């Protein structure tokens, strides 16, 4: 009886040993065998090619960064550049976001620029506030409404009343307040430029104006019914102005044609634009409190290059929009344009 049991146990043990051994041999064979199933390789291949792509992309970025770094070597370090404070009046209309987009994307190419955007509005609008937050520039957002009696009404000719006056003055007021508290000489170093939101600005213009000592000037293209208006320079001095209209004005030039040093703005706390100035005298109303013609600093190759254009954007026609609105099919008002 016990001998039979012993035999059975032995058989079970041998069987168990055999099965384990076979399992082990099978496992060893699998390990050594070359697996040609494409399914297994696919994720590995994909990962390799993804890593390769990433490597190429990073190599490209390194090359671009190195290229961008090279011209910087020739320029003075950023902090030694004077800041250009650009004061821009702006008002709500269909093309406003388009104008601000174009303008801000020019400014993004200018080092050390501080944008002072002043809304002609009793409140800061969500459109402009959100726009500024995302624009990537250093900015100050201000607002002041143009007094009702000074505001152009629908249908008025554009020359009837000056535009952007209170807004530019508000920008000057902010600068004087803000810079007063800046300690040392550095806080007063800078240049102030009045850039309307619809003009076209060359990047070169900003480098020309950066060295302004008192008031610098240059030609403006497509303005005053002319191909360009310009100061005329002889022996490095402005001797007269090339303009088609009232050359007898103290400073017969457009707003886009000059920049003022911050120091001069701060040293003359009462200098500002006069909203009551007769047509064409707005620029003179500020400048006559700051400089004489003799002191003007000609830029842009002695005023022989046009680097800013007094472009004006056409008012978009809304005939079809209005027709569809009557039928309740107007463009979705929730989409910001
Ligand atoms: C010309 C000059 O280039 C302006 O610098 C000057 O302010 C203006 O004439 C004037 O005589 O007042 P123009 O193209 O006729 O410019 O004027 P706009 O471009 O219509 O307005 C000048 C600035 O004021 C713009 O930045 C505009 O957005 C702003 N603006 C205009 C307001 O803030 N509120 C308005 O009701 C209208
Ligand atoms: Mn304009």
């Amino acid at each position: 009886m016990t001998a039979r049991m012993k035999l059975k146990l032995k058989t079970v043990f041998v069987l168990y040993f055999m099965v384990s051994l076979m399992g082990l041999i099978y496992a060893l064979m699998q390990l050594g065998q070359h697996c040609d199933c494409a399914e297994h390789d696919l994720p590995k291949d994909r990962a390799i090619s993804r890593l390769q792509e990433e490597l190429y992309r990073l190599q490209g970025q390194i090359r671009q960064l190195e290229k961008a770094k090279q011209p910087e070597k020739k320029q003075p370090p950023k902090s030694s550049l004077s800041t250009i404070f650009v004061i821009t009046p702006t008002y709500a209309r269909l093309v406003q976001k388009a104008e601000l987009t174009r303008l801000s994307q020019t400014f993004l190419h200018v080092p050390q620029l501080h944008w002072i955007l002043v809304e002609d509005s009793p409140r800061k609008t969500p459109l402009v506030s959100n726009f500024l937050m995302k624009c990537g520039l250093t900015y100050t957002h201000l607002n002041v409404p143009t007094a009702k009696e000074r505001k152009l009404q629908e249908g008025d000719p554009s020359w009837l009343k000056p535009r952007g006056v209170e807004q530019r003055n508000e920008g000057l007021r902010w600068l004087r307040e803000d810079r007063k508290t800046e300690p040392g000489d550095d806080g007063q170093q800078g240049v102030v430029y009045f850039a309307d939101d619809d003009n076209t600005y060359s990047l070169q213009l900003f480098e020309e104006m950066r060295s302004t000592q008192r008031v610098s000037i240059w030609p403006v293209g497509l303005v005053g019914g002319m191909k360009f208006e310009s100061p005329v320079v002889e022996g490095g001095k402005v001797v007269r102005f090339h303009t088609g209209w009232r050359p007898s004005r103290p400073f017969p030039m457009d707003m886009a044609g000059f920049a003022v040093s911050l120091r001069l703005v701060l040293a003359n706390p009462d200098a500002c634009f006069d909203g009551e100035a007769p047509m064409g005298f707005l620029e003179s109303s500020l400048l006559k409190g700051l400089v004489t013609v003799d002191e003007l600093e000609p830029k842009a190759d002695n005023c022989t290059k046009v680097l800013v254009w007094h472009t004006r954007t056409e008012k978009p026609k809304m005939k079809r929009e209005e027709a569809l609105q009557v039928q309740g099919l107007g463009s979705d008002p929730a989409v910001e344009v």
Side-chain angles (χ1 to χ4, degrees):
M1 181 76 174
T2 41
R4 269 176 73 186
M5 254 178 75
K6 251 188 200 165
L7 195 75
K8 256 192 179 173
L9 261 174
K10 203 179 163 187
T11 320
V12 169
F13 183 72
V14 168
L15 266 172
Y16 174 73
F17 180 73
M18 292 290 283
V19 169
S20 303
L21 193 68
M22 273 162 68
L24 189 66
I25 291 169
Y26 180 73
L28 283 172
M29 273 163 67
Q30 285 294 306
L31 263 180
Q33 229 172 50
H34 175 72
C35 174
D36 63 348
C37 37
E39 251 174 42
H40 284 219
D41 279 350
L42 218 56
K44 219 198 302 167
D45 287 349
R46 262 199 226 127
I48 290 171
S49 70
R50 219 180 302 130
L51 285 170
Q52 251 166 0
E53 271 170 32
E54 184 74 355
L55 183 69
Y56 291 144
R57 201 177 59 77
L58 288 171
Q59 280 173 336
Q61 275 188 356
I62 290 170
R63 269 196 298 276
Q64 270 183 355
L65 282 172
E66 275 170 354
K67 226 191 272 168
K69 249 166 86 185
Q70 275 161 7
E72 232 173 61
K73 280 183 203 148
K74 288 177 218 148
Q75 281 176 5
K78 234 183 168 190
S79 58
S80 75
L81 287 178
S82 11
T83 303
I84 298 174
F85 294 93
V86 178
I87 299 179
T88 300
T90 188
Y91 70 111
R93 65 228 196 255
L94 277 167
V95 299
Q96 184 180 33
K97 195 175 178 185
E99 304 281 33
L100 296 179
T101 298
R102 195 179 53 232
L103 199 58
S104 66
Q105 291 182 358
T106 296
F107 294 164
L108 278 171
H109 294 287
V110 183
Q112 286 287 106
L113 184 145
H114 183 131
W115 196 15
I116 303 171
L117 187 61
V118 195
E119 286 195 74
D120 182 351
S121 159
R123 261 159 260 101
K124 292 183 177 69
T125 63
L127 185 147
V128 175
S129 305
N130 293 331
F131 173 84
L132 282 174
M133 261 186 275
K134 292 185 205 146
C135 77
L137 289 161
T138 302
Y139 68 86
T140 297
H141 185 187
L142 305 171
N143 69 289
V144 61
T146 301
K148 199 157 176 266
E149 62 279 11
R150 284 217 193 135
K151 183 107 177 152
L152 273 183
Q153 301 304 314
E154 190 74 32
D156 279 352
S158 71
W159 45 262
L160 195 66
K161 290 168 189 160
R163 279 134 282 146
V165 176
E166 278 100 323
Q167 292 71 35
R168 294 188 194 97
N169 286 340
E170 173 65 6
L172 288 172
R173 186 204 60 73
W174 180 86
L175 261 179
R176 284 169 175 141
E177 193 58 37
D178 184 72
R179 293 292 119 174
K180 197 172 65 183
T181 53
E182 281 287 314
D185 222 31
D186 279 1
Q188 304 221 329
Q189 216 196 20
V191 179
V192 183
Y193 182 53
F194 302 97
D196 291 350
D197 61 4
D198 54 346
N199 294 339
T200 305
Y201 306 90
S202 148
L203 297 181
Q204 180 61 31
L205 179 72
F206 299 94
E207 295 327 307
E208 295 286 327
M209 71 173 78
R210 212 183 280 280
S211 57
T212 305
Q213 296 302 303
R214 294 174 69 80
V215 175
S216 56
I217 44 149
W218 48 81
V220 177
L222 314 175
V223 72
M226 311 264 294
K227 277 164 78 179
F228 66 89
E229 282 186 346
S230 175
V232 178
V233 179
E234 282 172 15
K237 294 259 178 205
V238 175
V239 290
R240 64 196 146 82
F241 292 85
H242 171 63
T243 174
W245 187 72
R246 294 192 75 167
S248 59
R249 289 174 288 163
F251 295 89
M253 51 207 265
D254 186 77
M255 197 68 73
F258 66 91
V260 184
S261 80
L262 177 62
R263 207 178 295 277
L264 198 61
V265 166
L266 299 176
N268 295 273
D270 296 326
C272 63
F273 292 98
D274 177 8
E276 301 296 325
M279 191 177 101
F281 284 74
L282 190 60
E283 293 80 359
S284 298
S285 72
L286 174 84
L287 290 174
K288 67 182 179 5
L290 296 175
V291 272
T292 61
V293 170
D294 192 55
E295 290 169 326
L296 293 171
E297 299 148 44
K299 302 286 180 190
D301 268 349
N302 275 329
C303 297
T304 59
K305 300 266 186 307
V306 174
L307 300 174
V308 55
W309 296 263
H310 184 255
T311 44
R312 304 190 72 193
T313 306
E314 187 186 357
K315 190 176 172 202
K317 294 179 181 72
M318 286 293 122
K319 242 183 165 165
R320 296 188 198 286
E321 182 71 53
E322 282 155 16
L324 284 173
Q325 271 171 9
V326 173
Q327 302 168 48
L329 297 170
S331 302
D332 183 351
V335 176
E336 192 178 81
V337 180

